[in-house]
Amino acid sequence: EYAIMGDVNIGVLHIGLRKGEGGSHCSLSTGNPASGALQSCEKAKFALDEVNANPHVLPNISLGMVCVDTCSSSQTALGRSMYLVEDHSRDCETTDDDGFVNHKIVGALGPTYSSVAVSISGFFSLYSIPILGTYATADELSNKEKHEYFLRLVPPDRFQAQLIVDVLQAFNWTYVGVFYSEGAYGEEGAKYIQKLLKDTEICIAFSEVLMTSKGENEINEIVDVVNTYKLVTVSIWFVDRAVFRRVAQGLQDSKVSINHVKLFSDSATFEVKAGNTFPNFTKGGLAVGFKVLEIPGFRDYMNNLIPGKNSDNPWLEKLWEQKYGCNTHHNSSNACSKYPAPRNSYGDLTMFRNFYIGMHVYAQALHRLVTKNCLKAFHNSALLNGCFEGKELLDMLISTEFNVINENVAFDEKGDRRGQYVVYHYSVTSKNEFQAEPVMLWDEMEPVVDISADQRSLFVPRSQCSKECNKRQFIIQKSPHCCWECRSCRSNEVLARNRTTCNACPAFFWPNQDTLEFCKPIVHKYIRWSDLSAVSLLVSSFFGASISGSFIGIFIQKRKTRLVKSSNKKMTFLLLFGTILSFMLTLLFVAKPSKIICFLRDVGFNLVFTFLFAPLLVKTSTIYFIFDSGLKGKRRPSFVSKQGQNICLIFILFAVQIVSPSHAVLRMPGQFEPRVELLCAQATIPFLMPLSYNILLIVLCGILGYRCRKLPENFNESGFIFVAAWTTIFTWVLFIPTYFTATSSLHQAILLNLSLLLNAFITIGCLFAPKVYALYYVSENRI
């Protein structure tokens, strides 16, 4: 123990030693000094000196303390707490075999570990002694039915768990792992994290408990878990200091690294600040901690602290003996009093600040309680006996707000302090120095994590089970809930049922391409007047119609010539009228399809061919029969009368009668292509019947033209008829398969129109152009 007795005493439970390699328990003979933790008892002593030197706090009443070592063990802490309470079975000042003296205390300060606090809290409650926890954060300690006399100077772990969840959400980490230590601290923290994550989009890939007793394959098991969940790049480490130190040391010794961004609970902050930084383990990680401020004057106090000279702290003596091999109990040449404090032996002097604050809180509470109950005790400290009870001190602590070095300290009805944390980022500087840099402040009154641009410049990995689906994909949910698979809809489908499936758009509709949220009508395609193909067809048709019209005018003008007289005028003008009709039919093919347009287009198409080749067949047959009869005698040939020539009209009427007109419809050639055509649809057989009839007329014209090849030389029109007929046949041989293999109705309409124009130009070029040439450039005597 380290006792400084006063009129009223406070017990201090701190960590002085850690169990040595060969020791079965923690003692001065076998233990090792817990370097950074050694300052906790001295912080309480430093505060004690300030209180006793302050005439305004407990005047004429000395405040004392009794500091004992918990050795980070629940059993050791419970055993040594017995020396802090009054034992009525024997005198207060008797000494036992271990050298400990029973001291009556009115309050206790400490311990650091939650597991230790849970073990001893009930013991102090039996004696109605308030215990002011310095860094015990387990939520279990907020249960006043079990821990009635326990208060704490740090917020409970439920706020720390909330901060960890807020940090995960701020960095959009949705797939994480959890390592937690066995015991109240780790188990309660992990439980709260899991509870909070149920209401978020974050899920836990694994949750592994690290036992208090070290397992032989502990490090290998940790590495196996990490390797199993390769998509996890962020892990939460809610472990106590002993487990943290053991795992970090084990990984370092094994030369194994875990490439995670580690999110540590507050225990890691203590360990790092105590000097055990383990940079390979902590580098790049984030840790929850508390605001750290250096106590004014404490650094000089510690630097001038030498055992045997100005301190009876037995744990400091142990540290000096270990560092210098000196002896604090002999006035020999190797006495420890001549050695200065070992460099960095105390760790970060901003640590364990709550031991200092707690002592001041007790002093102010006792001052108010004495002022309230026994004011005369300020002049006679003997009156303190029976001045107050433990319950009264507890109520005073809970109901009062205290101020210590400009920091307000207050407790709620559960004995918890307001939750306020600092998040530290562990990194290595350009000078290869390890540093813990504060990057954000969190307060339970304003629980919002605001990540600044500078903080986002830190390496922030992606820790998600699945990639974010783009807005055009649907989601197939998997287990756990933060895992899914992204699938793309088909080209004609939109997202449905909250992006969990796809539905096909109705016919003639197509998804909007930005978000696939709705279907919109597809713009119909058909030949438009402004299209280049339409303009070309129109120009060609007007050009051809102009030629046909001029030929009619020439034949009328030259009607008295021998050449015109010898031609069948009725057939000639009927053929020219057919060519003009062919050219003008282009207007119907360029016009927007409708019921009337489709009817006129189909009737016109079949009628035009009949107009061209029915008269041509009559004319060819007439020539053939005249010359064929002349070779056989002077008998008048058949089929040359006017009635026979009018057979062409029957042909025309027949063609019109068998026409089955089409109608305007919408057609979507491909289900997965956003193309809708407005066209004149007609069944194949009704289309082929008049077409076959016209082809038969053309073939007959070609055959008769071939039979007339031996006619007198001065009657050479049959040759032109033959060329016209067979050129048309050749054109149609190419046209028919091209028409039926065309995938677009637009192309089919253009092909039909081109066939009409080509036939009309062939007719003009083969039948009428030679005659016009002869009328102007050949002597009539030669005709």
Side-chain angles (χ1 to χ4, degrees):
E1 66 178 29
Y2 175 28
I4 301 173
M5 303 308 297
D7 297 321
V8 59
N9 300 313
I10 303 297
V12 179
L13 297 97
H14 82 126
I15 304 170
L17 299 172
R18 295 194 180 100
K19 186 170 67 174
E21 291 295 331
S24 60
H25 63 281
C26 173
S27 67
L28 283 174
S29 61
T30 61
N32 296 318
S35 56
L38 291 178
Q39 59 175 291
S40 57
C41 201
E42 291 299 336
K43 274 193 168 70
K45 170 63 168 55
F46 186 70
L48 188 74
D49 293 340
E50 290 183 341
V51 170
N52 289 332
N54 189 346
H56 303 293
V57 179
L58 296 176
N60 301 316
I61 297 176
S62 61
L63 184 64
M65 75 171 192
V66 182
C67 196
V68 296
D69 188 4
T70 65
C71 294
S72 306
S73 166
S74 300
Q75 293 85 349
T76 302
L78 183 59
R80 292 180 179 176
S81 296
M82 294 179 182
Y83 294 99
L84 299 178
V85 300
E86 182 179 11
D87 186 355
H88 295 287
S89 65
R90 55 185 176 176
D91 295 336
C92 272
E93 297 300 327
T94 58
T95 303
D96 67 5
D97 295 336
D98 293 329
F100 282 92
V101 178
N102 295 107
H103 301 289
K104 182 181 180 180
I105 62 172
V106 297
L109 185 62
T112 301
Y113 286 176
S114 294
S115 57
V116 176
V118 170
S119 298
I120 66 174
S121 173
F123 173 77
F124 282 102
S125 295
L126 290 175
Y127 288 88
S128 299
I129 297 175
I131 177 169
L132 195 56
T134 49
Y135 293 101
T137 58
D139 276 276
E140 180 183 346
L141 294 166
S142 296
N143 187 342
K144 293 299 102 178
E145 292 182 2
K146 294 182 179 181
H147 307 281
E148 180 182 1
Y149 279 80
F150 185 85
L151 299 88
R152 50 181 151 200
L153 293 166
V154 289
D157 284 335
R158 62 178 179 273
F159 296 120
Q160 185 175 184
Q162 181 63 64
L163 168 57
I164 290 174
V165 171
D166 289 347
V167 171
L168 294 177
Q169 290 179 316
F171 285 108
N172 196 28
W173 290 326
T174 59
Y175 196 50
V176 299
V178 178
F179 291 101
Y180 64 95
S181 56
E182 182 185 28
Y185 175 78
E187 292 175 3
E188 289 295 319
K191 181 178 71 175
Y192 263 100
I193 289 175
Q194 292 173 352
K195 179 180 178 181
L196 292 171
L197 290 182
K198 288 182 179 179
D199 298 327
T200 69
E201 296 298 321
I202 303 170
C203 58
I204 297 176
F206 61 84
S207 182
E208 295 292 322
V209 59
L210 304 178
M211 309 301 290
T212 302
S213 57
K214 180 181 179 180
E216 293 182 1
N217 299 317
E218 181 181 40
I219 299 302
N220 291 335
E221 291 171 358
I222 292 174
V223 173
D224 289 342
V225 169
V226 171
N227 290 336
T228 302
Y229 297 90
K230 295 185 180 298
L231 291 175
V232 176
T233 59
V234 174
S235 55
I236 300 169
W237 292 76
F238 218 108
V239 297
D240 58 36
R241 291 179 62 188
V243 173
F244 173 90
R245 185 170 56 252
R246 186 181 74 223
V247 171
Q249 188 66 55
L251 289 171
Q252 182 173 294
D253 295 342
S254 303
K255 297 182 180 180
V256 176
S257 61
I258 298 177
N259 296 321
H260 281 189
V261 170
K262 303 169 192 70
L263 190 52
F264 298 107
S265 61
D266 63 307
S267 60
T269 309
F270 284 106
E271 199 60 39
V272 169
K273 286 183 173 294
N276 298 314
T277 55
F278 301 107
N280 292 334
F281 181 57
T282 57
K283 182 176 65 176
L286 297 172
V288 178
F290 306 103
K291 287 195 299 183
V292 290
L293 297 172
E294 192 165 310
I295 299 171
F298 184 70
R299 182 173 295 276
D300 293 336
Y301 170 82
M302 290 298 289
N303 289 336
N304 295 322
L305 200 62
I306 297 176
K309 184 176 181 180
N310 54 6
S311 176
D312 295 325
N313 187 332
W315 301 285
L316 290 179
E317 294 175 359
K318 179 69 175 179
L319 178 62
W320 254 255
E321 291 176 3
Q322 186 184 66
K323 292 287 184 179
Y324 299 115
C326 60
N327 193 325
T328 59
H329 302 291
H330 296 85
N331 294 323
S332 60
S333 60
N334 69 337
C336 291
S337 59
K338 68 179 182 178
Y339 295 102
R343 186 179 180 184
N344 299 325
S345 59
Y346 304 123
D348 190 337
L349 292 180
T350 61
M351 291 178 60
F352 302 102
R353 188 164 174 264
N354 284 344
F355 281 91
Y356 172 87
I357 292 176
M359 189 61 74
H360 273 285
V361 167
Y362 268 125
Q364 293 180 32
L366 288 169
H367 180 88
R368 296 185 184 188
L369 198 57
V370 171
T371 302
K372 176 183 177 183
N373 291 349
C374 45
L375 188 60
K376 293 182 180 180
F378 288 131
H379 303 287
N380 184 3
S381 60
L383 298 176
L384 286 173
N385 188 22
C387 179
F388 56 86
E389 296 179 350
K391 178 62 174 175
E392 291 180 285
L393 179 57
L394 176 67
D395 293 339
M396 182 63 69
L397 288 169
I398 292 178
S399 62
T400 308
E401 183 172 328
F402 307 96
N403 185 276
V404 182
I405 53 174
N406 298 321
E407 182 175 341
N408 293 328
V409 180
F411 306 96
D412 60 19
E413 67 280 359
K414 294 182 179 181
D416 297 331
R417 193 177 176 188
R418 173 180 171 183
Q420 195 173 63
Y421 296 95
V422 176
V423 177
Y424 295 92
H425 177 244
Y426 295 147
S427 62
V428 177
T429 65
S430 57
K431 298 180 180 180
N432 206 29
E433 296 177 351
F434 186 84
Q435 67 175 5
E437 180 186 4
V439 292
M440 63 186 77
L441 176 67
W442 187 92
D443 194 305
E444 69 170 282
M445 304 302 291
E446 298 177 1
V448 177
V449 175
D450 184 17
I451 307 299
S452 66
D454 293 339
Q455 294 158 13
R456 287 195 179 278
S457 65
L458 304 173
F459 172 67
V460 179
R462 174 183 172 273
S463 188
Q464 297 174 331
C465 181
S466 303
K467 292 182 179 180
E468 194 72 24
C469 298
N470 66 47
K471 59 184 179 180
R472 293 169 52 84
Q473 293 179 316
F474 69 96
I475 299 170
I476 300 177
Q477 191 64 54
K478 294 187 174 182
S479 181
H481 67 273
C482 65
C483 298
W484 60 80
E485 185 178 348
C486 299
R487 294 282 184 89
S488 297
C489 297
R490 295 180 179 180
S491 57
N492 67 327
E493 293 178 334
V494 293
L495 297 171
R497 288 190 294 183
N498 197 25
R499 296 184 65 189
T500 58
T501 187
C502 298
N503 288 338
C505 286
F508 315 127
F509 284 78
W510 200 253
N512 71 307
Q513 296 304 299
D514 292 333
T515 59
L516 301 185
E517 292 179 346
F518 58 90
C519 299
K520 60 181 182 180
I522 302 174
V523 178
H524 307 158
K525 290 184 177 296
Y526 54 90
I527 302 176
R528 301 177 187 273
W529 297 98
S530 58
D531 293 347
L532 179 61
S533 57
V535 173
S536 301
L537 291 174
L538 290 172
V539 170
S540 300
S541 66
F542 283 118
F543 175 71
S546 300
I547 294 176
S548 296
S550 62
F551 281 6
I552 291 175
I554 291 172
F555 280 119
I556 293 174
Q557 182 184 7
K558 303 288 187 176
R559 62 185 178 277
K560 294 182 179 181
T561 61
R562 184 187 304 174
L563 181 60
V564 175
K565 288 180 179 180
S566 63
S567 300
N568 190 322
K569 295 180 182 179
K570 184 185 293 185
M571 296 296 107
T572 298
F573 286 110
L574 195 59
L575 281 169
L576 286 173
F577 176 75
T579 59
I580 293 176
L581 190 61
S582 295
F583 288 125
M584 299 310 297
L585 200 61
T586 299
L587 295 174
L588 295 178
F589 280 93
V590 175
K592 180 179 179 180
S594 64
K595 184 175 182 180
I596 296 177
I597 293 295
C598 290
F599 173 78
L600 295 177
R601 183 189 294 182
D602 289 343
V603 172
F605 177 79
N606 295 298
L607 193 61
V608 161
F609 272 96
T610 308
F611 261 116
L612 290 176
F613 291 99
L616 188 60
L617 177 60
V618 172
K619 187 173 182 178
T620 307
S621 62
T622 301
I623 296 172
Y624 174 77
F625 286 121
I626 290 175
F627 286 95
D628 184 66
S629 299
L631 294 174
K632 295 178 181 180
K634 297 182 179 180
R635 185 173 56 87
R636 179 181 177 87
S638 304
F639 304 107
V640 294
S641 64
K642 290 184 178 180
Q643 290 79 8
Q645 292 176 351
N646 289 333
I647 294 176
C648 67
L649 297 178
I650 299 174
F651 290 161
I652 293 173
L653 291 175
F654 178 74
V656 174
Q657 288 296 322
I658 66 173
V659 166
S660 176
S662 62
H663 53 281
V665 296
L666 292 176
R667 184 182 73 174
M668 196 168 178
Q671 183 181 1
F672 304 108
E673 183 182 358
R675 184 162 63 94
V676 173
E677 299 173 339
L678 179 62
L679 70 155
C680 294
Q682 188 179 39
T684 303
I685 293 178
F687 172 76
L688 289 177
M689 286 177 63
L691 184 62
S692 301
Y693 171 72
N694 286 319
I695 291 176
L696 177 62
L697 294 180
I698 299 171
V699 171
L700 290 175
C701 288
I703 293 173
L704 291 175
Y706 177 77
R707 296 291 298 272
C708 294
R709 67 187 184 280
K710 295 180 180 181
L711 295 179
E713 185 178 355
N714 62 345
F715 191 84
N716 55 11
E717 187 177 9
S718 60
F720 294 110
I721 294 174
F722 174 77
V723 172
W726 285 102
T727 302
T728 302
I729 292 172
F730 178 75
T731 301
W732 278 90
V733 168
L734 295 178
F735 161 75
I736 291 176
T738 304
Y739 175 84
F740 284 104
T741 56
T743 58
S744 170
S745 63
L746 218 95
H747 296 155
Q748 288 180 331
I750 293 174
L751 283 172
L752 282 175
N753 198 199
L754 283 175
S755 67
L756 285 175
L757 293 177
L758 187 58
N759 287 332
F761 277 115
I762 290 173
T763 302
I764 292 175
C766 291
L767 297 181
F768 298 105
K771 290 183 179 181
V772 172
Y773 176 82
L775 288 174
Y776 285 96
Y777 299 103
V778 177
S779 172
E780 189 173 359
N781 295 327
R782 295 179 58 189
I783 297 177

